[in-house]
Amino acid sequence: MNLILLGPPGAGKGTQARILVDERNMVQLSTGDMLRAAQSSGTEMGKRVADVMARGELVTDEIVIGLIEEQLTTVKADGFIFDGFPRTLAQADALGALLAKTGQSLDAVIEMRVDDEALVARITARSTCGDCGEVYNDITKPIPADGKCVNCGGTEFKRRADDNEDSLKQRLMEYYKKTSPLIGYYYAKGDLSVVDGLGEIDEVAGAIRTVLDA
Ligand code: AMP
């Protein structure tokens, strides 16, 4: 099963993707994570995209399509969860072509709907475990008092450089201008389902499960 999680920054795509990875033998393909990894390892591409990402703008279609193509042609899995990809119509077309080329298909697109106010609150309170990427929130899911990650016991936590109000405004603008047209694109293809992303993590996971098992 191949699935796209579609939604603005802070909708909970990464959190839900990790739950699906644990529950089903699926692989999460997050272009944001891949780009951050390229930055941390200091590759040429990582250096080129650093400023664009810090400003909250989208990196070029060519770069992210290349990253996804590499994964789709090398990784074997029972299914892929596309998290943060596609973000433009050109990326959506490219994904369709890549899946067809590798003999696969898209089974579902889930739009996670969350209002803007909640997004700002979530993102400015967000941190992640430096070892395993477990996501925390200062209000709803604080780092445990013993300072150890619930998932891996790691003790280093970090905040994303682009999780600040200025960058978030730009990321939301990019979402509404360039990514939200994908809602109509996948609706027209009959692939779109909508879940309320505002609930508790388990409730949202339950709603996603219902869509996938239908
Ligand atoms: P994310 O972790 O998905 O929030 O992505 C963080 C940043 O990486 C975005 O604000 C963009 O600058 C860049 N990025 C991630 N995925 C894409 C994509 N599919 N297309 C263009 N830029 C992307």
Side-chain angles (χ1 to χ4, degrees), residues 7-13 87 114 118-120 122-123 126 160 163 167-168 170-173 175:
K13 303 185 296 291
R87 265 178 154 99
V114 179
L119 296 175
V120 177
R122 278 186 185 184
I123 286 207
R126 173 161 80 175
R160 278 172 46 170
D163 276 353
S167 168
L168 178 59
Q170 184 61 36
R171 284 154 72 199
L172 279 175
M173 200 98 85
Y175 177 78

Side-chain angles (χ1 to χ4, degrees), residues 3 6 14 20 24 50 66 72 75 79 81 83 85-86 90 101 126 136 148 152 162 164 166 176 185 191 203:
L3 157 74
L6 188 64
L20 288 169
R24 302 164 192 242
L72 286 185
V75 177
I81 307 157
D83 159 12
F85 181 92
K101 196 169 104 184
R126 173 161 80 175
Y136 293 90
K148 290 191 179 146
C152 72
D162 59 350
N164 59 70
D166 281 348
Y176 289 117
Y185 176 96
D191 291 332
E203 286 168 4

Side-chain angles (χ1 to χ4, degrees), residues 31-32 35-36 53 57-59 64 84-85 87 91 160:
T31 38
L35 293 165
R36 280 184 289 278
M53 287 176 71
E57 293 166 11
L58 295 188
V59 311
V64 287
F85 181 92
R87 265 178 154 99
Q91 291 176 24
R160 278 172 46 170

Side-chain angles (χ1 to χ4, degrees), residues 45-68:
M45 183 271 278
K47 286 181 198 153
R48 258 191 290 141
V49 298
D51 287 346
V52 176
M53 287 176 71
R55 283 197 301 271
E57 293 166 11
L58 295 188
V59 311
T60 63
D61 288 335
E62 194 194 352
I63 288 177
V64 287
I65 291 167
L67 290 171
I68 289 291

